Amino acid sequence: MELKIIRSETKKEKPTGKLGFGKYFTDHMFIMEYDGTKWTNARIQPFQNLSLSPASSVLHYAQGVFEGAKAYKNKKGEIRMFRLNDNLDRMNDSAARLCMPTFDKKFVYDAIKQLVLIDEDWIPTEDGTALYIRPTMIATEPALGVHASKTYLMYVIVGPAGAYYANGLAPVKLLVEEHYTRAAKGGTGGHKVIGNYAASMKAGEEARAKGYDQAMWLDAKYHRYVEEVGAMNIFFVMDGIVYTPALRGSILPGITRRSVIALLRSHGYKVRECNVDIRKVADAAEKGTLQEIFGTGTAAVISPVGAFGYRGKEYVVNGGEMGDISKKIYDELTGIQSGRYEDKFGWVDIIK
Ligand code: PLP
Ligand code: COI
């Protein structure tokens, strides 16, 4: 398929000041259509609104998936794409889970690369910033029966982004959620599908109303084993060993999670992917053997957890400060992304 490029005749004003997350979008977007048999009409075009039938199935039954990746520009002017192939693989897995068509990864990768290069002057260069890349696929058939749509749109929007949490690297507070669940065995928790996020909002709002930043999810059956956080996977350091919940289908297989495990192991840390019992974490906090908790995600990168609430009690982690392992891993991961450190795992594609 050919990729058509239609350049915008106008340029939007770029943001000045704090970028925040997900608020600004560049001048162009990538889009292509699935006509029932094949992807067609692929183009980079000016960023614009979509025109959809109000009966489109994504709007009724949430047949939609998305991804989040980042491109970095460093002081040398290099543009560095971090593990985009892994995001596109996961997107195809998510699409297949929702009976949506998959796409040619190489074609979409190249299209994103071109999009990023066209809007290159939007990529921020300050520490902690990047161009956030949001590939999205939605079902567009105007039909109200509950069945897989015949037609789809796939598009990619990009925009400059800073810290995901308002306070940047300041430790966040999480509330362990024992009532609502995010995902259960056999559900869609292990895929990046839009409905997962709608279902998670109530717990997030209730946590915020109680003074926490996000909910920490437990397993759906026992409400005892930690799963993940709103937009992050989660790690616990107890007695010198790093624990993270094993992927058993209800947790999103985070690309940052995978990267952090590889980095930690390369430094000789013991990393265990297993059940993480929240009662044991609370006990460790009381005994003083809980050293650190941190979240990992593309948007949040590494987010230290300074405290968690569980059964009416608040447990402070590492005196409410970012721990040494979190700091080291943040420095190393962002160093690889920006080119300060050698990319020894081959995660970065320098596209310019
Ligand atoms: N868990 C959820 C629910 C997420 O939305 C994300 C963000 O994408 C993650 C975990 C972290 O995944 P990744 O590291 O691939 O960004
Ligand atoms: C990301 O980390 O890229 C995400 O997509 C998280 C998000 C839901 C904001």
Side-chain angles (χ1 to χ4, degrees), residues 216-242:
M216 190 196 301
W217 297 107
L218 300 178
D219 74 282
K221 190 167 177 188
Y222 304 104
H223 291 273
R224 178 163 180 178
Y225 301 102
V226 178
E227 299 237 304
E228 59 180 310
V229 180
M232 307 189 294
N233 295 109
I234 189 149
F235 288 73
F236 300 83
V237 187
M238 294 185 281
D239 252 343
I241 297 173
V242 185

PDB file of all heavy atoms in Angstrom, residues 216-242:
ATOM      1  N   MET A 216      -4.667   0.903  43.546  1.00  0.00           N
ATOM      2  CA  MET A 216      -3.820  -0.264  43.265  1.00  0.00           C
ATOM      3  C   MET A 216      -4.768  -1.461  43.168  1.00  0.00           C
ATOM      4  O   MET A 216      -5.504  -1.756  44.099  1.00  0.00           O
ATOM      5  CB  MET A 216      -2.802  -0.489  44.393  1.00  0.00           C
ATOM      6  CG  MET A 216      -1.737  -1.533  44.041  1.00  0.00           C
ATOM      7  SD  MET A 216      -0.802  -2.167  45.486  1.00  0.00           S
ATOM      8  CE  MET A 216      -0.067  -0.724  46.156  1.00  0.00           C
ATOM      9  N   TRP A 217      -4.751  -2.116  42.020  1.00  0.00           N
ATOM     10  CA  TRP A 217      -5.694  -3.205  41.768  1.00  0.00           C
ATOM     11  C   TRP A 217      -5.225  -4.527  42.356  1.00  0.00           C
ATOM     12  O   TRP A 217      -4.041  -4.856  42.282  1.00  0.00           O
ATOM     13  CB  TRP A 217      -5.899  -3.400  40.268  1.00  0.00           C
ATOM     14  CG  TRP A 217      -6.493  -2.224  39.587  1.00  0.00           C
ATOM     15  CD1 TRP A 217      -5.855  -1.344  38.748  1.00  0.00           C
ATOM     16  CD2 TRP A 217      -7.853  -1.782  39.669  1.00  0.00           C
ATOM     17  NE1 TRP A 217      -6.743  -0.384  38.318  1.00  0.00           N
ATOM     18  CE2 TRP A 217      -7.964  -0.627  38.862  1.00  0.00           C
ATOM     19  CE3 TRP A 217      -8.989  -2.252  40.350  1.00  0.00           C
ATOM     20  CZ2 TRP A 217      -9.165   0.059  38.719  1.00  0.00           C
ATOM     21  CZ3 TRP A 217     -10.179  -1.554  40.197  1.00  0.00           C
ATOM     22  CH2 TRP A 217     -10.256  -0.424  39.393  1.00  0.00           C
ATOM     23  N   LEU A 218      -6.185  -5.256  42.882  1.00  0.00           N
ATOM     24  CA  LEU A 218      -5.910  -6.623  43.343  1.00  0.00           C
ATOM     25  C   LEU A 218      -6.596  -7.605  42.392  1.00  0.00           C
ATOM     26  O   LEU A 218      -7.429  -7.211  41.564  1.00  0.00           O
ATOM     27  CB  LEU A 218      -6.459  -6.811  44.755  1.00  0.00           C
ATOM     28  CG  LEU A 218      -5.883  -5.867  45.818  1.00  0.00           C
ATOM     29  CD1 LEU A 218      -6.546  -6.133  47.168  1.00  0.00           C
ATOM     30  CD2 LEU A 218      -4.365  -6.023  45.942  1.00  0.00           C
ATOM     31  N   ASP A 219      -6.285  -8.877  42.550  1.00  0.00           N
ATOM     32  CA  ASP A 219      -6.901  -9.895  41.684  1.00  0.00           C
ATOM     33  C   ASP A 219      -8.412  -9.963  41.948  1.00  0.00           C
ATOM     34  O   ASP A 219      -8.878  -9.657  43.052  1.00  0.00           O
ATOM     35  CB  ASP A 219      -6.259 -11.260  41.936  1.00  0.00           C
ATOM     36  CG  ASP A 219      -6.730 -11.836  43.260  1.00  0.00           C
ATOM     37  OD1 ASP A 219      -6.221 -11.398  44.302  1.00  0.00           O
ATOM     38  OD2 ASP A 219      -7.653 -12.683  43.248  1.00  0.00           O
ATOM     39  N   ALA A 220      -9.151 -10.394  40.949  1.00  0.00           N
ATOM     40  CA  ALA A 220     -10.618 -10.364  41.022  1.00  0.00           C
ATOM     41  C   ALA A 220     -11.186 -11.454  41.929  1.00  0.00           C
ATOM     42  O   ALA A 220     -12.279 -11.324  42.461  1.00  0.00           O
ATOM     43  CB  ALA A 220     -11.189 -10.517  39.612  1.00  0.00           C
ATOM     44  N   LYS A 221     -10.432 -12.530  42.131  1.00  0.00           N
ATOM     45  CA  LYS A 221     -11.003 -13.668  42.856  1.00  0.00           C
ATOM     46  C   LYS A 221     -10.813 -13.577  44.369  1.00  0.00           C
ATOM     47  O   LYS A 221     -11.759 -13.720  45.138  1.00  0.00           O
ATOM     48  CB  LYS A 221     -10.359 -14.958  42.327  1.00  0.00           C
ATOM     49  CG  LYS A 221     -11.032 -16.208  42.823  1.00  0.00           C
ATOM     50  CD  LYS A 221     -10.576 -17.411  42.033  1.00  0.00           C
ATOM     51  CE  LYS A 221     -11.193 -18.690  42.573  1.00  0.00           C
ATOM     52  NZ  LYS A 221     -10.609 -19.864  41.927  1.00  0.00           N
ATOM     53  N   TYR A 222      -9.611 -13.309  44.780  1.00  0.00           N
ATOM     54  CA  TYR A 222      -9.312 -13.307  46.228  1.00  0.00           C
ATOM     55  C   TYR A 222      -9.173 -11.901  46.807  1.00  0.00           C
ATOM     56  O   TYR A 222      -9.091 -11.743  48.016  1.00  0.00           O
ATOM     57  CB  TYR A 222      -8.014 -14.077  46.504  1.00  0.00           C
ATOM     58  CG  TYR A 222      -8.030 -15.486  45.981  1.00  0.00           C
ATOM     59  CD1 TYR A 222      -7.320 -15.826  44.817  1.00  0.00           C
ATOM     60  CD2 TYR A 222      -8.742 -16.489  46.638  1.00  0.00           C
ATOM     61  CE1 TYR A 222      -7.334 -17.122  44.321  1.00  0.00           C
ATOM     62  CE2 TYR A 222      -8.763 -17.792  46.142  1.00  0.00           C
ATOM     63  CZ  TYR A 222      -8.063 -18.095  44.991  1.00  0.00           C
ATOM     64  OH  TYR A 222      -8.083 -19.375  44.504  1.00  0.00           O
ATOM     65  N   HIS A 223      -9.075 -10.901  45.936  1.00  0.00           N
ATOM     66  CA  HIS A 223      -8.807  -9.521  46.387  1.00  0.00           C
ATOM     67  C   HIS A 223      -7.608  -9.490  47.320  1.00  0.00           C
ATOM     68  O   HIS A 223      -7.631  -8.899  48.391  1.00  0.00           O
ATOM     69  CB  HIS A 223     -10.028  -8.916  47.098  1.00  0.00           C
ATOM     70  CG  HIS A 223     -11.152  -8.660  46.157  1.00  0.00           C
ATOM     71  ND1 HIS A 223     -11.282  -7.501  45.449  1.00  0.00           N
ATOM     72  CD2 HIS A 223     -12.184  -9.447  45.778  1.00  0.00           C
ATOM     73  CE1 HIS A 223     -12.332  -7.561  44.674  1.00  0.00           C
ATOM     74  NE2 HIS A 223     -12.909  -8.736  44.848  1.00  0.00           N
ATOM     75  N   ARG A 224      -6.592 -10.133  46.897  1.00  0.00           N
ATOM     76  CA  ARG A 224      -5.444 -10.311  47.770  1.00  0.00           C
ATOM     77  C   ARG A 224      -4.098 -10.134  47.038  1.00  0.00           C
ATOM     78  O   ARG A 224      -3.123  -9.668  47.624  1.00  0.00           O
ATOM     79  CB  ARG A 224      -5.536 -11.730  48.340  1.00  0.00           C
ATOM     80  CG  ARG A 224      -4.407 -12.082  49.219  1.00  0.00           C
ATOM     81  CD  ARG A 224      -4.721 -13.268  50.060  1.00  0.00           C
ATOM     82  NE  ARG A 224      -3.560 -13.527  50.881  1.00  0.00           N
ATOM     83  CZ  ARG A 224      -3.480 -14.471  51.779  1.00  0.00           C
ATOM     84  NH1 ARG A 224      -4.521 -15.256  51.986  1.00  0.00           N
ATOM     85  NH2 ARG A 224      -2.397 -14.635  52.479  1.00  0.00           N
ATOM     86  N   TYR A 225      -4.059 -10.506  45.770  1.00  0.00           N
ATOM     87  CA  TYR A 225      -2.796 -10.446  45.034  1.00  0.00           C
ATOM     88  C   TYR A 225      -2.783  -9.209  44.144  1.00  0.00           C
ATOM     89  O   TYR A 225      -3.718  -8.965  43.387  1.00  0.00           O
ATOM     90  CB  TYR A 225      -2.601 -11.727  44.224  1.00  0.00           C
ATOM     91  CG  TYR A 225      -2.598 -12.926  45.137  1.00  0.00           C
ATOM     92  CD1 TYR A 225      -3.722 -13.748  45.260  1.00  0.00           C
ATOM     93  CD2 TYR A 225      -1.498 -13.162  45.963  1.00  0.00           C
ATOM     94  CE1 TYR A 225      -3.733 -14.799  46.159  1.00  0.00           C
ATOM     95  CE2 TYR A 225      -1.512 -14.207  46.863  1.00  0.00           C
ATOM     96  CZ  TYR A 225      -2.633 -15.022  46.962  1.00  0.00           C
ATOM     97  OH  TYR A 225      -2.645 -16.046  47.869  1.00  0.00           O
ATOM     98  N   VAL A 226      -1.690  -8.463  44.255  1.00  0.00           N
ATOM     99  CA  VAL A 226      -1.595  -7.193  43.520  1.00  0.00           C
ATOM    100  C   VAL A 226      -1.526  -7.468  42.018  1.00  0.00           C
ATOM    101  O   VAL A 226      -0.863  -8.407  41.578  1.00  0.00           O
ATOM    102  CB  VAL A 226      -0.330  -6.412  43.958  1.00  0.00           C
ATOM    103  CG1 VAL A 226      -0.195  -5.120  43.169  1.00  0.00           C
ATOM    104  CG2 VAL A 226      -0.370  -6.126  45.456  1.00  0.00           C
ATOM    105  N   GLU A 227      -2.210  -6.624  41.261  1.00  0.00           N
ATOM    106  CA  GLU A 227      -2.143  -6.749  39.802  1.00  0.00           C
ATOM    107  C   GLU A 227      -1.355  -5.583  39.201  1.00  0.00           C
ATOM    108  O   GLU A 227      -0.253  -5.758  38.732  1.00  0.00           O
ATOM    109  CB  GLU A 227      -3.549  -6.799  39.214  1.00  0.00           C
ATOM    110  CG  GLU A 227      -4.327  -8.012  39.740  1.00  0.00           C
ATOM    111  CD  GLU A 227      -4.842  -8.909  38.660  1.00  0.00           C
ATOM    112  OE1 GLU A 227      -5.560  -8.416  37.791  1.00  0.00           O
ATOM    113  OE2 GLU A 227      -4.531 -10.122  38.691  1.00  0.00           O
ATOM    114  N   GLU A 228      -1.924  -4.399  39.223  1.00  0.00           N
ATOM    115  CA  GLU A 228      -1.218  -3.237  38.673  1.00  0.00           C
ATOM    116  C   GLU A 228      -1.906  -1.968  39.130  1.00  0.00           C
ATOM    117  O   GLU A 228      -2.771  -2.000  40.002  1.00  0.00           O
ATOM    118  CB  GLU A 228      -1.138  -3.334  37.146  1.00  0.00           C
ATOM    119  CG  GLU A 228      -2.475  -3.407  36.459  1.00  0.00           C
ATOM    120  CD  GLU A 228      -2.349  -3.502  34.950  1.00  0.00           C
ATOM    121  OE1 GLU A 228      -1.617  -2.690  34.372  1.00  0.00           O
ATOM    122  OE2 GLU A 228      -2.992  -4.377  34.357  1.00  0.00           O
ATOM    123  N   VAL A 229      -1.517  -0.846  38.518  1.00  0.00           N
ATOM    124  CA  VAL A 229      -2.084   0.453  38.881  1.00  0.00           C
ATOM    125  C   VAL A 229      -2.724   1.016  37.612  1.00  0.00           C
ATOM    126  O   VAL A 229      -2.512   0.482  36.532  1.00  0.00           O
ATOM    127  CB  VAL A 229      -0.963   1.362  39.430  1.00  0.00           C
ATOM    128  CG1 VAL A 229      -1.476   2.726  39.832  1.00  0.00           C
ATOM    129  CG2 VAL A 229      -0.308   0.697  40.632  1.00  0.00           C
ATOM    130  N   GLY A 230      -3.476   2.114  37.716  1.00  0.00           N
ATOM    131  CA  GLY A 230      -4.213   2.677  36.576  1.00  0.00           C
ATOM    132  C   GLY A 230      -3.504   2.616  35.236  1.00  0.00           C
ATOM    133  O   GLY A 230      -4.052   2.101  34.269  1.00  0.00           O
ATOM    134  N   ALA A 231      -2.314   3.141  35.161  1.00  0.00           N
ATOM    135  CA  ALA A 231      -1.616   3.179  33.885  1.00  0.00           C
ATOM    136  C   ALA A 231      -0.182   2.685  34.039  1.00  0.00           C
ATOM    137  O   ALA A 231       0.702   3.080  33.291  1.00  0.00           O
ATOM    138  CB  ALA A 231      -1.634   4.604  33.342  1.00  0.00           C
ATOM    139  N   MET A 232       0.014   1.809  35.024  1.00  0.00           N
ATOM    140  CA  MET A 232       1.382   1.346  35.297  1.00  0.00           C
ATOM    141  C   MET A 232       1.382  -0.093  35.811  1.00  0.00           C
ATOM    142  O   MET A 232       0.452  -0.516  36.495  1.00  0.00           O
ATOM    143  CB  MET A 232       2.040   2.184  36.405  1.00  0.00           C
ATOM    144  CG  MET A 232       2.027   3.676  36.215  1.00  0.00           C
ATOM    145  SD  MET A 232       3.054   4.501  37.458  1.00  0.00           S
ATOM    146  CE  MET A 232       2.196   4.183  38.974  1.00  0.00           C
ATOM    147  N   ASN A 233       2.458  -0.782  35.536  1.00  0.00           N
ATOM    148  CA  ASN A 233       2.769  -2.027  36.253  1.00  0.00           C
ATOM    149  C   ASN A 233       3.470  -1.639  37.545  1.00  0.00           C
ATOM    150  O   ASN A 233       3.880  -0.496  37.724  1.00  0.00           O
ATOM    151  CB  ASN A 233       3.657  -2.933  35.389  1.00  0.00           C
ATOM    152  CG  ASN A 233       2.928  -3.389  34.138  1.00  0.00           C
ATOM    153  OD1 ASN A 233       3.235  -2.959  33.041  1.00  0.00           O
ATOM    154  ND2 ASN A 233       1.954  -4.262  34.316  1.00  0.00           N
ATOM    155  N   ILE A 234       3.626  -2.624  38.441  1.00  0.00           N
ATOM    156  CA  ILE A 234       4.143  -2.227  39.750  1.00  0.00           C
ATOM    157  C   ILE A 234       5.194  -3.203  40.280  1.00  0.00           C
ATOM    158  O   ILE A 234       5.114  -4.417  40.029  1.00  0.00           O
ATOM    159  CB  ILE A 234       2.969  -1.994  40.739  1.00  0.00           C
ATOM    160  CG1 ILE A 234       3.471  -1.378  42.035  1.00  0.00           C
ATOM    161  CG2 ILE A 234       2.186  -3.275  40.990  1.00  0.00           C
ATOM    162  CD1 ILE A 234       2.469  -0.489  42.700  1.00  0.00           C
ATOM    163  N   PHE A 235       6.176  -2.628  40.965  1.00  0.00           N
ATOM    164  CA  PHE A 235       7.310  -3.389  41.508  1.00  0.00           C
ATOM    165  C   PHE A 235       7.441  -3.097  43.007  1.00  0.00           C
ATOM    166  O   PHE A 235       7.217  -1.965  43.443  1.00  0.00           O
ATOM    167  CB  PHE A 235       8.615  -2.962  40.824  1.00  0.00           C
ATOM    168  CG  PHE A 235       8.743  -3.429  39.396  1.00  0.00           C
ATOM    169  CD1 PHE A 235       7.988  -2.847  38.390  1.00  0.00           C
ATOM    170  CD2 PHE A 235       9.632  -4.451  39.058  1.00  0.00           C
ATOM    171  CE1 PHE A 235       8.094  -3.270  37.068  1.00  0.00           C
ATOM    172  CE2 PHE A 235       9.752  -4.882  37.741  1.00  0.00           C
ATOM    173  CZ  PHE A 235       8.989  -4.293  36.751  1.00  0.00           C
ATOM    174  N   PHE A 236       7.850  -4.124  43.746  1.00  0.00           N
ATOM    175  CA  PHE A 236       8.054  -4.007  45.197  1.00  0.00           C
ATOM    176  C   PHE A 236       9.468  -4.498  45.507  1.00  0.00           C
ATOM    177  O   PHE A 236       9.868  -5.555  45.011  1.00  0.00           O
ATOM    178  CB  PHE A 236       7.063  -4.908  45.944  1.00  0.00           C
ATOM    179  CG  PHE A 236       5.627  -4.555  45.674  1.00  0.00           C
ATOM    180  CD1 PHE A 236       4.977  -5.026  44.537  1.00  0.00           C
ATOM    181  CD2 PHE A 236       4.922  -3.740  46.551  1.00  0.00           C
ATOM    182  CE1 PHE A 236       3.653  -4.694  44.283  1.00  0.00           C
ATOM    183  CE2 PHE A 236       3.594  -3.405  46.308  1.00  0.00           C
ATOM    184  CZ  PHE A 236       2.957  -3.882  45.168  1.00  0.00           C
ATOM    185  N   VAL A 237      10.183  -3.765  46.323  1.00  0.00           N
ATOM    186  CA  VAL A 237      11.489  -4.253  46.769  1.00  0.00           C
ATOM    187  C   VAL A 237      11.352  -4.615  48.244  1.00  0.00           C
ATOM    188  O   VAL A 237      11.038  -3.756  49.076  1.00  0.00           O
ATOM    189  CB  VAL A 237      12.603  -3.191  46.591  1.00  0.00           C
ATOM    190  CG1 VAL A 237      13.967  -3.802  46.915  1.00  0.00           C
ATOM    191  CG2 VAL A 237      12.588  -2.614  45.174  1.00  0.00           C
ATOM    192  N   MET A 238      11.525  -5.907  48.532  1.00  0.00           N
ATOM    193  CA  MET A 238      11.417  -6.374  49.917  1.00  0.00           C
ATOM    194  C   MET A 238      12.635  -7.227  50.233  1.00  0.00           C
ATOM    195  O   MET A 238      12.945  -8.149  49.459  1.00  0.00           O
ATOM    196  CB  MET A 238      10.119  -7.181  50.105  1.00  0.00           C
ATOM    197  CG  MET A 238       8.863  -6.311  49.940  1.00  0.00           C
ATOM    198  SD  MET A 238       7.306  -7.155  50.295  1.00  0.00           S
ATOM    199  CE  MET A 238       7.038  -8.080  48.796  1.00  0.00           C
ATOM    200  N   ASP A 239      13.311  -6.888  51.317  1.00  0.00           N
ATOM    201  CA  ASP A 239      14.478  -7.668  51.728  1.00  0.00           C
ATOM    202  C   ASP A 239      15.482  -7.852  50.594  1.00  0.00           C
ATOM    203  O   ASP A 239      16.035  -8.937  50.410  1.00  0.00           O
ATOM    204  CB  ASP A 239      14.018  -9.061  52.178  1.00  0.00           C
ATOM    205  CG  ASP A 239      14.143  -9.177  53.697  1.00  0.00           C
ATOM    206  OD1 ASP A 239      14.864  -8.347  54.304  1.00  0.00           O
ATOM    207  OD2 ASP A 239      13.514 -10.100  54.247  1.00  0.00           O
ATOM    208  N   GLY A 240      15.676  -6.831  49.817  1.00  0.00           N
ATOM    209  CA  GLY A 240      16.679  -6.868  48.746  1.00  0.00           C
ATOM    210  C   GLY A 240      16.244  -7.569  47.464  1.00  0.00           C
ATOM    211  O   GLY A 240      17.000  -7.605  46.488  1.00  0.00           O
ATOM    212  N   ILE A 241      15.040  -8.125  47.463  1.00  0.00           N
ATOM    213  CA  ILE A 241      14.565  -8.824  46.256  1.00  0.00           C
ATOM    214  C   ILE A 241      13.451  -7.987  45.602  1.00  0.00           C
ATOM    215  O   ILE A 241      12.639  -7.388  46.311  1.00  0.00           O
ATOM    216  CB  ILE A 241      14.054 -10.235  46.604  1.00  0.00           C
ATOM    217  CG1 ILE A 241      15.224 -11.050  47.150  1.00  0.00           C
ATOM    218  CG2 ILE A 241      13.434 -10.924  45.394  1.00  0.00           C
ATOM    219  CD1 ILE A 241      14.832 -12.396  47.691  1.00  0.00           C
ATOM    220  N   VAL A 242      13.473  -7.952  44.281  1.00  0.00           N
ATOM    221  CA  VAL A 242      12.459  -7.175  43.562  1.00  0.00           C
ATOM    222  C   VAL A 242      11.336  -8.116  43.119  1.00  0.00           C
ATOM    223  O   VAL A 242      11.602  -9.147  42.482  1.00  0.00           O
ATOM    224  CB  VAL A 242      13.070  -6.473  42.332  1.00  0.00           C
ATOM    225  CG1 VAL A 242      12.044  -5.566  41.674  1.00  0.00           C
ATOM    226  CG2 VAL A 242      14.313  -5.673  42.730  1.00  0.00           C
TER     227      VAL A 242
END
